[in-house]
Amino acid sequence: VGATHANASGPSSGAAHFFSRAADGRWTHTQTITPAGEEGCEGNGCPPIRDVYMGRAVALSGDYAVITGYEIAADDGEGYAYFYGRGADGRWTRFDDPVQGSDTRPGNEFGTAVALKGSVAVVTAPRHRVGDTSSAGAVYVFTPRPRSAHNPQIYWAERRKLVARDREAFDLFGTDVAFDGETILVGAERENDGGLGDNGAAYVFFE
């Protein structure tokens, strides 16, 4: 569960909370992820981290999780995604540094929505500029990979970028997203096909 305005590490630093269900069906809070912990600093001596809005979007599938945030301290705001894995002890740990799309920029709103199924993650950037088309939007697909044949450490790498064929300025392709393992469904809330105004649209992609 994301809590973007939590003051866990500073004003609006954000946080994400993990819960697990016991045999009796009750849900119990098991772990909290905060920006301070991600920076490797724990305890009262850590400097405050503000306006990161961690937990903007969250997704969970099996032993993988992804948490996004939106740091407004950067010019126009800069989005990111953190990937986590669950260990044998049930604790969640981060795989690597925060991830962004290969060509995302501040203001693209990368991390607005996220979907995760198995070992495939889909992260949206609805205000991404595609060519000369402002805020057309884009969606990025990530999968885990070993760093090399000699280094089995896992990192999440961009596998594919999706855009709308009929894109126009300010369609906001990537407002929301869903993924079931073979099909990706992407919302574009301001797409105006047929001159009907911002009636919106949904795009379907198959593996």
Side-chain angles (χ1 to χ4, degrees):
V1 179
T4 55
H5 285 77
N7 299 322
S9 304
S12 297
S13 58
H17 302 273
F18 286 95
F19 294 80
S20 62
R21 185 168 55 185
D24 61 1
R26 294 174 180 265
W27 290 91
T28 303
H29 183 269
T30 57
Q31 189 174 348
T32 299
I33 300 292
T34 68
E38 293 313 310
E39 296 298 327
C41 182
E42 302 287 352
N44 295 329
C46 297
I49 298 174
R50 61 183 303 140
D51 300 331
V52 175
Y53 297 101
M54 188 177 195
R56 186 184 194 194
V58 297
L60 176 68
S61 180
D63 291 329
Y64 292 130
V66 57
I67 303 169
T68 71
Y70 191 68
E71 187 175 358
I72 65 172
D75 293 340
D76 298 321
E78 188 167 13
Y80 60 88
Y82 281 133
F83 289 91
Y84 294 82
R86 179 165 50 189
D89 60 356
R91 301 289 293 177
W92 293 88
T93 57
R94 197 180 78 197
F95 278 105
D96 207 342
D97 294 332
V99 173
Q100 296 179 308
S102 57
D103 60 351
T104 53
R105 299 289 184 272
N108 286 176
E109 295 193 1
F110 178 83
T112 293
V114 62
L116 178 65
K117 181 70 172 180
S119 59
V120 181
V122 184
V123 185
T124 74
R127 289 194 178 274
H128 179 69
R129 183 184 186 95
V130 182
D132 295 329
T133 310
S134 298
S135 295
V139 170
Y140 299 83
V141 180
F142 297 88
T143 56
R145 298 178 183 177
R147 289 203 170 276
S148 69
H150 304 289
N151 183 357
Q153 183 182 8
I154 295 297
Y155 75 104
W156 286 74
E158 183 180 321
R159 175 178 168 187
R160 189 175 179 187
K161 174 185 174 182
L162 305 175
V163 297
R165 288 185 178 179
D166 60 347
R167 57 187 174 271
E168 294 181 350
F170 302 103
D171 277 354
L172 303 184
F173 173 86
T175 307
D176 209 344
V177 67
F179 175 53
D180 72 352
E182 296 181 351
T183 306
I184 298 174
L185 180 65
V186 183
E189 68 176 14
R190 294 183 63 182
E191 203 278 339
N192 61 352
D193 185 44
L196 300 177
D198 295 336
N199 52 319
Y203 295 79
V204 180
F205 297 84
F206 295 98
E207 180 66 35

